[in-house]
Amino acid sequence: MKKLLLTLCISSLILSCGTSSKSNTPSLTTKAPADPVEYASSITSEELKTMLYQYASDEFEGRETGKKGQKLAVEYLKEHYKAMEIPTPLGGDDYFQEVPLEKQKVTEAKLSVNGKEFSAFKNHIVITATESMNMSIDEIVYVGYGIDSDNYSDYKDIDVKGKIVLAKAGEPKDVEGNYITSGTSEDTKWTNGRQSLSSKRDAAKDNGAKGLLFVDNDLFSRYAPYFQRQAESGASGRLSLKSNESGMMMLMINEELGKAIYASISEDSKPQTIPTKIDLAIENKSESITSENVVAYIKGSEKPNEIVVISAHLDHEGIKDGKVYNGADDDGSGTIAIIEIAEAFKMAEKDGNGPKRSILFLHVTGEEKGLLGSRHYTDNDPIFPLEDTVADLNIDMIGRIDPKRTEGDRNYVYLIGSDKLSTDLHNISEEVNKKYTNVELDYTYNDENDPNRFYYRSDHYNFAKNNVPVIFYFNGTHDDYHQPSDTPDKIEYDLLENRTRLVFHTAWEVANRDERVVVDKATE
């Protein structure tokens, strides 16, 4: 009888639920929000350690771009994604986005000004030349310091399209002795060594110039002996992205040659056209090399066309003088962190809690050679349109402690770029950390004018320059940075675990929130 009464009561309850209005009784099919903590707990120091000891072992030979060790590394990553049943956006079994590179041997240009010949390595060195050329020039455009910024531009009132430009080192200062572009006395990207070289090259290129002659006596005295040694030994030069388009030629020249072209170059900074007679011949000597980015993704359940990128670079320095540069922190730590994050998201997907937006796990090559893999992705072949890319969370060195950081919690991470383009992303990052991980977020290097230039030195920058919001996670440098002593036994695995969980929780929130992250600080 008790069983019968119980059956009747249950039947009555079911009928009652079936006839109740929605306003009074929640639906029995309503699904509770997934708890990301459950999936974050799968990210463990033990698994991170096991993977990193293999990935940063001598077997991988330092993972130099284009070399055997790098090929072993990409196969390692591919097999992990296949084992986790995480597909590639390229389809089938193709987890590799090919990155076409070229290695150029040092080129010796022949150059004369008004009939006077100037010598390679003594007066000029070829920085870039994507093709052989033989030209006679009747005039060049002098662009002063060659700066093109928001509040000061040497290109403002002069046309340089299709022309050769001449620029000199340095940057003008105001009456108080501060640099014009920044308003401070700290070196900027226009004055800071190698950064000024690339900044002035990019300014010339962006304004349509086909070539740049850059006068920098100090930099020339440092570069020329190295270039000459490389030329005499027959060694190959730096890797660069191979392009089907004709690139911009760039020569660095000394002051003697600069004055031969324009006698008043030291005193005069006014942009103007200079009549001259320059004969220039360059023979391009390059070797084609193919490297690979590794790509895997989880398709979004509701907004599949919106993409959250989680990136890290897979390469390192290779072998030098017989010593393997293992790169455990740089960037083995970021690489295996992404694998653990991907596994956590896959577990959620299998439970029916996949991300609303798609997530691309992007392991880029050639970071140590000049951010080449990420630049190929953003500038040449974005697998997903950049306008559909919500954010890039970039992980580069999160396994160690910065010895220069003498105050604060050891459980910290430097964040760079989180507030540069999106207030939304910065606030999400702060709130997620307080809720889940309690890492001390240190913004010491979150400054575009920081002398270390960290904002420009990892793969997030190629996304940021395209107005994709970024966060760069970084533990700072240490004595083992770019040394063969950067080995997995020196990693702080408890910190690596917590920092990896921070990235996971941030990605989870960005991927699952109702509204897309707003870009409220876009640059031109």
Side-chain angles (χ1 to χ4, degrees):
M1 180 61 75
K2 287 182 179 178
K3 289 183 179 179
L4 178 59
L5 289 173
L6 180 60
T7 302
L8 290 171
C9 287
I10 291 173
S11 300
S12 176
L13 179 60
I14 292 172
L15 288 171
S16 174
C17 290
T19 56
S20 297
S21 67
K22 288 184 179 180
S23 61
N24 295 325
T25 307
S27 169
L28 292 177
T29 60
T30 299
K31 184 179 179 181
D35 183 2
V37 173
E38 174 186 351
Y39 304 110
S41 66
S42 70
I43 298 169
T44 66
S45 58
E46 291 80 8
E47 289 187 4
L48 291 162
K49 184 175 183 178
T50 298
M51 286 191 289
L52 188 53
Y53 261 84
Q54 183 173 358
Y55 192 74
S57 68
D58 287 355
E59 176 190 355
F60 287 77
E61 299 183 355
R63 310 185 301 276
E64 184 175 359
T65 300
K67 298 292 182 67
K68 174 187 172 184
Q70 182 254 305
K71 304 298 183 183
L72 292 173
V74 298
E75 289 292 341
Y76 175 89
L77 296 172
K78 172 183 175 178
E79 292 307 314
H80 267 279
Y81 284 112
K82 289 177 67 177
M84 292 188 290
E85 299 179 342
I86 298 176
T88 166
L90 301 176
D93 195 41
D94 186 5
Y95 285 80
F96 300 155
Q97 179 191 36
E98 290 192 353
V99 180
L101 304 173
E102 62 181 9
K103 182 176 287 187
Q104 186 175 9
K105 291 187 176 182
V106 175
T107 302
E108 297 182 42
K110 294 181 179 180
L111 187 151
S112 66
V113 178
N114 297 321
K116 180 180 179 180
E117 292 189 2
F118 289 85
S119 303
F121 311 121
K122 179 183 177 182
N123 303 113
H124 55 80
I125 51 178
V126 179
I127 302 298
T128 57
T130 60
E131 59 185 359
S132 297
M133 58 185 69
N134 196 328
M135 63 177 70
S136 184
I137 305 163
D138 295 322
E139 63 179 27
I140 60 104
V141 180
Y142 176 52
V143 290
Y145 293 100
I147 294 171
D148 189 16
S149 67
D150 292 338
N151 57 347
Y152 175 88
S153 178
D154 289 306
Y155 291 90
K156 183 179 179 181
D157 298 315
I158 198 158
D159 180 16
V160 301
K161 290 179 181 178
K163 300 177 181 178
I164 306 294
V165 300
L166 173 70
K168 64 180 178 180
E171 175 181 348
K173 295 182 177 181
D174 61 22
V175 293
E176 297 177 352
N178 295 318
Y179 288 117
I180 293 290
T181 62
S182 65
T184 73
S185 60
E186 298 291 331
D187 280 354
T188 73
K189 69 178 183 178
W190 304 106
T191 55
N192 192 309
R194 288 174 58 183
Q195 187 69 34
S196 72
L197 188 68
S198 59
S199 297
K200 295 189 179 187
R201 175 202 63 205
D202 291 347
K205 183 178 180 181
D206 291 344
N207 281 278
K210 72 175 181 179
L212 169 64
L213 306 179
F214 179 50
V215 184
D216 189 328
N217 246 16
D218 292 338
L219 214 54
F220 184 86
S221 65
R222 289 162 49 194
Y223 274 49
Y226 171 78
F227 273 62
Q228 186 168 11
R229 288 194 301 271
Q230 294 291 98
E232 291 172 351
S233 69
S236 297
R238 288 176 60 87
L239 284 178
S240 60
L241 274 177
K242 191 173 184 178
S243 174
N244 293 326
E245 299 178 0
S246 297
M248 194 186 75
M249 172 273 295
M250 180 177 184
L251 269 64
M252 187 191 298
I253 65 177
N254 67 0
E255 190 172 7
E256 179 188 357
L257 177 49
K259 286 185 174 180
I261 298 171
Y262 180 44
S264 301
I265 190 170
S266 298
E267 302 81 26
D268 190 2
S269 301
K270 180 182 178 182
Q272 56 194 286
T273 298
I274 307 292
T276 188
K277 175 66 174 175
I278 299 176
D279 291 308
L280 175 64
I282 298 175
E283 181 184 358
N284 179 265
K285 301 176 181 178
S286 61
E287 172 190 355
S288 294
I289 291 175
T290 299
S291 189
E292 302 85 14
N293 293 333
V294 178
V295 289
Y297 91 129
I298 293 177
K299 188 174 182 179
S301 60
E302 295 182 17
K303 303 173 186 289
N305 293 329
E306 294 185 13
I307 313 299
V308 179
V309 177
I310 306 176
S311 62
H313 71 89
L314 60 89
D315 63 308
H316 195 56
E317 294 283 307
I319 299 176
K320 299 178 181 178
D321 299 324
K323 296 179 180 179
V324 178
Y325 284 62
N326 301 101
D329 192 24
D330 184 14
D331 186 28
S333 61
T335 301
I336 55 101
I338 291 186
I339 296 174
E340 281 285 87
I341 291 168
E343 181 183 44
F345 272 108
K346 186 62 180 180
M347 289 173 60
E349 185 187 49
K350 286 182 176 179
D351 287 346
N353 297 315
K356 292 179 181 178
R357 294 176 177 84
S358 297
I359 299 181
L360 176 68
F361 306 105
L362 175 63
H363 301 266
V364 293
T365 189
E367 190 269 356
E368 302 290 2
K369 306 297 185 181
L371 315 184
L372 301 181
S374 58
R375 180 147 59 92
H376 177 68
Y377 181 93
T378 60
D379 296 9
N380 299 337
D381 185 25
I383 294 171
F384 297 101
L386 294 184
E387 57 267 27
D388 295 334
T389 303
V390 175
D392 171 48
L393 307 181
N394 183 54
I395 316 169
D396 192 351
M397 300 175 61
I398 58 166
R400 296 282 295 272
I401 294 174
D402 182 355
K404 298 184 292 296
R405 190 178 185 273
T406 57
E407 297 181 0
D409 196 325
R410 70 181 286 273
N411 181 31
Y412 77 97
V413 70
Y414 294 125
L415 290 196
I416 299 173
S418 64
D419 62 349
K420 297 300 180 188
L421 292 165
S422 172
T423 305
D424 253 359
L425 183 60
H426 178 75
N427 291 341
I428 288 169
S429 171
E430 288 277 342
E431 292 164 7
V432 161
N433 180 54
K434 289 176 183 176
K435 185 174 181 180
Y436 296 111
T437 49
N438 294 311
V439 176
E440 184 176 317
L441 304 182
D442 189 326
Y443 296 98
T444 296
Y445 298 116
N446 187 40
D447 180 1
E448 294 172 60
N449 295 314
D450 168 58
N452 295 285
R453 316 301 294 165
F454 289 133
Y455 179 70
Y456 302 95
R457 286 171 54 183
S458 192
D459 296 293
H460 62 280
Y461 177 67
N462 283 318
F463 287 90
K465 74 181 186 184
N466 285 289
N467 285 321
V468 175
V470 301
I471 302 178
F472 172 23
Y473 299 87
F474 177 54
N475 54 223
T477 58
H478 40 71
D479 291 341
D480 302 308
Y481 174 64
H482 282 192
Q483 297 297 321
S485 50
D486 181 8
T487 49
D489 56 297
K490 296 178 180 177
I491 298 295
E492 308 271 355
Y493 287 95
D494 61 329
L495 300 183
L496 178 56
E497 175 188 282
N498 206 33
R499 292 163 176 170
T500 303
R501 289 182 178 185
L502 169 62
V503 181
F504 167 77
H505 280 294
T506 306
W508 179 281
E509 178 62 26
V510 172
N512 286 297
R513 71 199 304 257
D514 291 335
E515 299 300 325
R516 174 175 172 165
V517 165
V518 175
V519 181
D520 58 340
K521 301 177 182 180
T523 58
E524 293 182 2

